[in-house]
Amino acid sequence: MGTGSLMGRIVDKIREGERIDPAEGVYLLEEGDLLVLGRLADEVRSRKHPEGVVTFVIDRNINYTNICVSGCRFCAFYRPPGHPEGYVLSREEIFQKIEKTLAVGGTQILMQGGLNPDLGLEYFEELFRAIKERYPVVLHSLSPVEIDYLARQSGLTLEQVIERLRTAGLDSIPGGGAEILVDRVRREISPRKTSVRRWLEVTATAHRLGMKTTATMMFGCGESFTDRVAHFEAVRSLQDETGGFTAFIPWPYQPGNTELGGSAVSAWDYLRTLAVSRIYLDNIPNVQVSWVTQGVKIAQVALAFGANDFGSTMLEENVVRAAGVCNSSSEQEIVSLIKNAGFRPAQRDNTYHILKFY
Ligand code: SF4
């Protein structure tokens, strides 16, 4: 499989289960043949998941507010405070969305929104309590960026904020807002957003308190291959310390309707980056496809490039939709896609425990 001595040595390392270093990661992204990367990532996936199961969760994204003071240049979703299109969902609206989710077998709610100065820690505590009193649903909600904002607004420590949210009903945290974990890139695309150090600090604090999180990466926003590997390295290093990441979710930047503009990442780049992430992140159990951005057909191909999780049914999705990309899917469609790709579909919960096989 090797196409040169360096590539041959990297391939041998991966096959023997050895960890690759940042220079080797960059080399794979720069020089690796697409199908070689896919085969290697598939070998890593099958060592971790030899039974050939591909999981997914039935959940709904609830974007409780689009009002945000961060003004990220890549974001088509937010509206600044005072904008006529700004909104905050009422409790009744949120409850109705949860009821509809439960009615179709959903188990989880992913609540995320903008950094809205009118919504403090007490708002979330009261909302989470009210949800948990009414519904048997997992709250996989609030990104490290929102938690950082709540801590800064309230003057409390990260430990205090996360503990209070957990007491109110927060179960786990989706690792959104990571974008590219390189401060130079963040200054370009989201200068007012949480720094790399702080994103990692929120995540490490959650892990130390026993709360699981995922890690995401939004790529294709002007970063280099070296930056992508620096992101992988930051995630892998933290996972070595805490073991708290359940999954890695790389998804490409969606340029539609954004200030940053630019062009969309190709399926070729998406699959290569996904494959190298699976190879590099040897300590992360699950890698998730992004069918919302790639469409279900490329997502199906991604199952041969290292992914073992199909993400969520996304009964509702507004952030990618705001950038003009509209993909949708149902439980039955996801089950068929997984089966037709040669894997065994299973519904999971927020911590990747299997709830049901199909
Ligand atoms: S990405 Fe998040 S933090 Fe940035 S502007 Fe959009 S809603 Fe706000």
Side-chain angles (χ1 to χ4, degrees), residues 279-355:
I279 293 164
Y280 202 92
L281 298 171
D282 58 351
N283 54 3
I284 304 273
N286 303 289
V287 171
Q288 190 179 114
V289 303
S290 174
W291 64 261
V292 173
T293 60
Q294 299 307 296
V296 293
K297 292 298 177 191
I298 293 297
Q300 211 177 17
V301 176
L303 297 180
F305 282 74
N308 68 294
D309 186 83
F310 222 79
S312 127
T313 50
M314 294 252 186
L315 298 168
E316 177 177 342
E317 201 292 319
N318 301 301
V319 175
V320 172
R321 186 176 294 265
V325 177
C326 301
N327 288 306
S328 65
S329 194
S330 68
E331 175 188 4
Q332 274 322 310
E333 192 184 358
I334 287 179
V335 167
S336 300
L337 289 162
I338 294 170
K339 275 189 182 161
N340 292 340
F343 294 92
R344 188 176 181 205
Q347 185 190 354
R348 66 161 170 86
D349 66 12
N350 61 321
T351 52
Y352 290 75
H353 291 119
I354 290 182
L355 301 174

Side-chain angles (χ1 to χ4, degrees), residues 91 95 120-134 164-165 168:
R91 267 201 191 180
F95 291 165
L121 181 57
E122 292 73 20
Y123 166 87
F124 293 99
E125 288 183 297
E126 285 164 23
L127 179 61
F128 290 175
R129 274 205 192 90
I131 291 171
K132 286 295 179 119
E133 275 164 16
R134 287 168 179 75
R164 279 176 59 170
L165 290 169

Side-chain angles (χ1 to χ4, degrees), residues 266-279:
S266 65
W268 182 82
D269 190 8
Y270 170 69
L271 291 170
R272 294 168 62 80
T273 305
L274 179 81
V276 177
S277 76
R278 176 61 292 173
I279 293 164

Side-chain angles (χ1 to χ4, degrees), residues 68 70-72 74-75 77-78 113-115 145 179 193:
C68 186
S70 186
C72 303
F74 60 82
C75 179
F77 167 73
Y78 85 96
L115 308 181
V145 175
E179 326 314 0
K193 205 166 191 169

